[in-house]
Amino acid sequence: MVQATTDRSLSRRGMLKLAGAAGAGAGAIGAAAGTASAVPTAPKGGFAHPALLHTQADFDRMAEKVKAGAQPWTDGWKRLLSSRDSATDYLPRPVATVIRGGEDANVHLLFRDTAAAYQNALRWKITGDARHGDKARDILNAWSATLKELGGNADRYLMAGIQGYQLANAGEIMRDYDGFDLGRFQSMLVDIFYPMNDSFLVNHNDAVPSNYRANWELCTLASIIAIGGLTEDQAKIDRAVEYFKNGDGNGCVKRAVPVLHEQADGVVLGQWEESGRDQEHTMAGVGWMGALCEMAWNLGEDLYGYDDNRFMKGAEYVARYNLGKDVPYTSSSRRMGRRVAGQAGALHTEPEISEQGRGSTRPVWALLHNHYAVRRGLDVPNITAYKDKLTPEDGGGLRGGAGWSYDHLGYGTLTYTRDPQDVGASAPGAARETKTADKASGSAAGGGTRPQGGSTDTADLAATGADGVLAWSAAGASALLGGLLLLRRRGRGANTPGSDA
């Protein structure tokens, strides 16, 4: 039986007073207070482009702020300009076979070119400089004309997820650009990347569903929804949304954030699935869940607020711990190994939270702050503090060009910073032609600290995987309400399943 805790993280921090009327306005008031998840009712169709991580309104804002020299956008812009990958003289190096993990790994060719295409696309959209538009187009065209397969050990699934969603976002920006072969590019993603995304969700590389850690499935889900948005394939979008809510692996939010800890002051923190492993992978998962939620939001689905803002509670937990503060921790266990009929898999337990990689600088926090604190008017002090710590955010190719810097598209200070007074009554569905008002859903009752989602047996709520995000990084270096008055805002890599990554 699924058990839930009541989230009083807002009510106990202070009175949240709302302007508005009863009746029809009740749903909007509930969403603004953060006591319920906003449930969008956008139609399943009527796509408008660009979508995914950035809408046209986002690009208009970026261009206006940069032209005006406004802060912090200008500092974020300067970070983008300082990236060697954003230059018009960047030379792509497409190959027919890209390998991640094992011998002859050359994934750095793909992740650098993907970042370069995205960064040049940003520079074109913000300035109108056709030299950058041409460069982004040429990089994407070169890869869609050349790439035939993705290979390597189990890490190939990470590559298909990470670079799948990143490429789709670059292509979405460039979709109407003169000379961009959108059809061929879409075919590359549908025929080469998506089958690997699909296989991983279905088969988990022939492992038990809990074998692979949350970050593996989250980048995979990000790729699926991005490809769905790029190709206007609602079935793919729906699949990612459904798995996020009810999947059998650790990309499901109730498994990625398996335990809720209610504090003495009423604040609820969500323990992240990989917290007992290390903070680099934990933060990578937060970043990919954020990307997934932002794309879903623009496509009309509120995953940010799903299950009473569960992701927000998990991100607050991760940010708090990585800021050097104490957090509660419940011993976490997971089943590992190959899928064998009648066998549950070996049990691996992480009894303590890990300090490895504590204080990581992954550029994933501007997105989350600007959704929860700005769009939704919630108090997320740890997310906000982490955003402040990393402002202006870097992107791929900076921090010495280390491979891990390409795990996220980055530059969130430039791309996601919003003026609260400009947001208005924000609702999901910005990339739909029409959208309707949010509706509020109730929150579950209960109390205490309990596992969430699926089973109360923590052995069913954890995972492992292959060497992943850390192991290939060294090789790669070489080779996240207006309209209502809020008086207070609170709010590695073996191919064999069972290796610990």
Side-chain angles (χ1 to χ4, degrees), residues 74-396:
T74 296
D75 283 347
W77 174 246
K78 290 177 180 178
R79 284 294 171 94
L80 175 60
L81 297 185
S82 69
S83 170
R84 58 183 178 170
D85 297 337
S86 75
T88 57
D89 61 355
Y90 182 91
L91 297 177
R93 294 179 288 171
V95 294
T97 301
V98 183
I99 298 173
R100 173 169 172 169
E103 296 182 0
D104 302 319
N106 60 353
V107 65
H108 62 284
L109 300 176
L110 178 59
F111 68 59
R112 275 206 66 192
D113 283 7
T114 300
Y118 173 76
Q119 292 173 25
N120 274 280
L122 279 184
R123 292 186 66 168
W124 165 63
K125 287 293 286 187
I126 293 171
T127 67
D129 188 337
R131 296 175 300 168
H132 290 286
D134 290 350
K135 179 57 61 175
R137 174 201 63 200
D138 293 347
I139 295 171
L140 299 178
N141 279 347
W143 276 95
S144 68
T146 306
L147 184 65
K148 301 301 180 185
E149 62 180 347
L150 304 178
N153 61 21
D155 285 2
R156 67 191 184 275
Y157 294 109
L158 286 171
M159 171 172 56
I162 300 168
Q163 273 65 63
Y165 97 84
Q166 293 179 347
L167 280 166
N169 272 275
E172 176 69 8
I173 299 171
M174 302 304 299
R175 65 181 301 126
D176 296 323
Y177 196 84
D178 186 40
F180 175 49
D181 195 332
L182 176 61
R184 190 176 70 195
F185 185 79
Q186 290 173 322
S187 293
M188 175 186 71
L189 288 170
V190 170
D191 296 341
I192 299 175
F193 287 82
Y194 179 74
M196 295 190 67
N197 302 151
D198 173 74
S199 176
F200 190 73
L201 284 194
V202 173
N203 300 313
H204 302 96
N205 195 29
D206 295 325
V208 295
S210 61
N211 184 78
Y212 286 91
R213 309 306 293 252
N215 74 83
W216 287 71
E217 289 198 339
L218 290 169
C219 67
T220 298
L221 293 174
S223 180
I224 291 173
I225 202 169
I227 294 172
L230 179 74
T231 62
E232 298 190 352
D233 187 336
Q234 188 64 46
K236 288 183 174 60
I237 295 168
D238 290 344
R239 184 178 188 202
V241 169
E242 174 62 20
Y243 197 97
F244 177 87
K245 295 178 179 180
N246 299 303
D248 61 353
N250 290 298
C252 172
V253 68
K254 294 177 183 179
R255 297 175 183 271
V257 187
V259 182
L260 298 179
H261 300 276
E262 182 171 354
Q263 307 302 284
D265 60 359
V267 174
V268 178
L269 297 173
Q271 180 174 314
W272 197 266
E273 185 269 327
E274 296 190 70
S275 295
R277 176 193 183 185
D278 62 58
Q279 300 310 308
E280 295 101 329
H281 288 88
T282 294
M283 203 173 291
V286 170
W288 292 326
M289 187 178 286
L292 168 64
C293 289
E294 183 69 13
M295 290 185 284
W297 178 271
N298 286 331
L299 292 167
E301 298 283 353
D302 184 14
L303 299 186
Y304 280 117
Y306 178 71
D307 197 24
D308 210 8
N309 295 308
R310 194 181 196 94
F311 177 33
M312 179 188 77
K313 298 165 188 174
E316 273 287 283
Y317 179 97
V318 174
R320 178 180 172 86
Y321 183 67
N322 280 274
L323 286 167
K325 303 175 184 178
D326 291 336
V327 293
Y329 181 81
T330 297
S331 181
S332 177
S333 299
R334 63 185 182 275
R335 296 289 179 181
M336 305 163 53
R338 289 202 176 276
R339 189 193 309 259
V340 179
Q343 297 183 19
L347 186 65
H348 175 80
T349 300
E350 293 164 345
E352 298 178 347
I353 194 167
S354 174
E355 292 191 359
Q356 181 178 328
R358 194 173 185 183
S360 176
T361 57
R362 288 179 180 265
V364 303
W365 298 101
L367 171 63
L368 303 189
H369 164 82
N370 280 283
H371 176 78
Y372 287 117
V374 183
R375 273 191 185 137
R376 306 307 290 169
L378 303 177
D379 186 20
V380 283
N382 298 294
I383 291 172
T384 298
Y386 225 95
K387 180 268 300 182
D388 291 343
K389 174 183 175 181
L390 299 182
T391 299
E393 279 190 350
D394 289 332

